[in-house]
Amino acid sequence: KGVFVNKIKIVGVLAVVSFIMIIITSCSSEKEYKTPEELIKANAAFMNEEDLEAVMTTVHSKSPNYPATEIMAKQIFERYDLNYKIENIKVLEQNDKEAKVEFTQITTKIKGKDFKNNKTTGIHTLRKEGDSWKVYSTEMTNVEFLDKDDFHN
């Protein structure tokens, strides 16, 4: 009887440890973006999902804009329900540590007040953090406001 009880305890402890490891692994905020394109698409997807923690995994931790990005994304999620669609991604230059990537994004309002649908073109400067690309800074080069008839979701 004692051996049987000890086996049950060991199996129970192993099950709990395994469960904890699964939780730790799945909750890890470290996501890897192997290509600039993968990073930019992930960022738009996380913005669509309004997943602040995931959005912040796309921003370089040493970016001077990191705190402002987090505040701004949180405010956007509280005020609006927006749709983000990446229309174009073009890698302009890339080396082992940094890339310049031109993008075109269409942002349209699903819900919220006083938001103008727009088509934005800009250049992301990406930097590697470990093995993953992250947005270090962004320069907007053009913003075109759209009428409701100018876009298609």
Side-chain angles (χ1 to χ4, degrees):
K1 184 178 177 182
V3 174
F4 180 71
V5 171
N6 284 340
K7 283 184 180 179
I8 289 176
K9 284 181 183 177
I10 290 171
V11 170
V13 168
L14 288 175
V16 169
V17 169
S18 296
F19 181 70
I20 290 170
M21 291 305 291
I22 289 168
I23 289 173
I24 289 170
T25 305
S26 65
C27 290
S28 171
S29 63
E30 271 314 304
K31 296 182 183 336
E32 282 199 6
Y33 309 102
K34 297 291 186 188
T35 66
E37 296 88 349
E38 182 183 340
L39 168 71
I40 292 167
K41 289 175 185 176
N43 178 273
F46 297 145
M47 290 294 290
N48 281 326
E49 294 165 10
E50 297 188 3
D51 186 339
L52 182 61
E53 185 177 324
V55 167
M56 296 312 296
T57 70
T58 67
V59 181
H60 197 287
S61 65
K62 302 275 191 254
S63 168
N65 301 321
Y66 189 96
T69 300
E70 189 169 27
I71 291 166
M72 187 176 67
K74 187 175 181 188
Q75 289 175 347
I76 288 169
F77 297 158
E78 288 170 357
R79 292 183 186 158
Y80 305 106
D81 187 4
L82 302 177
N83 181 60
Y84 303 86
K85 180 182 175 195
I86 300 298
E87 192 174 70
N88 184 48
I89 300 171
K90 180 180 178 184
V91 178
L92 302 174
E93 53 187 82
Q94 180 178 345
N95 61 40
D96 293 352
K97 296 179 179 153
E98 189 172 282
K100 300 259 186 206
V101 182
E102 183 179 60
F103 67 94
T104 303
Q105 174 178 294
I106 297 175
T107 308
T108 54
K109 179 177 78 171
I110 298 168
K111 286 188 217 165
K113 293 183 178 185
D114 301 327
F115 182 86
K116 292 188 177 191
N117 297 325
N118 62 78
K119 181 177 185 175
T120 306
T121 304
I123 298 173
H124 286 306
T125 298
L126 310 181
R127 289 192 180 164
K128 283 276 185 104
E129 190 160 36
D131 291 332
S132 185
W133 288 106
K134 305 284 180 131
V135 177
Y136 188 79
S137 64
T138 302
E139 174 191 349
M140 296 301 182
T141 56
N142 189 47
V143 177
E144 177 185 343
F145 294 107
L146 305 174
D147 292 330
K148 290 186 184 208
D149 295 336
D150 289 345
F151 64 89
H152 306 285
N153 283 341

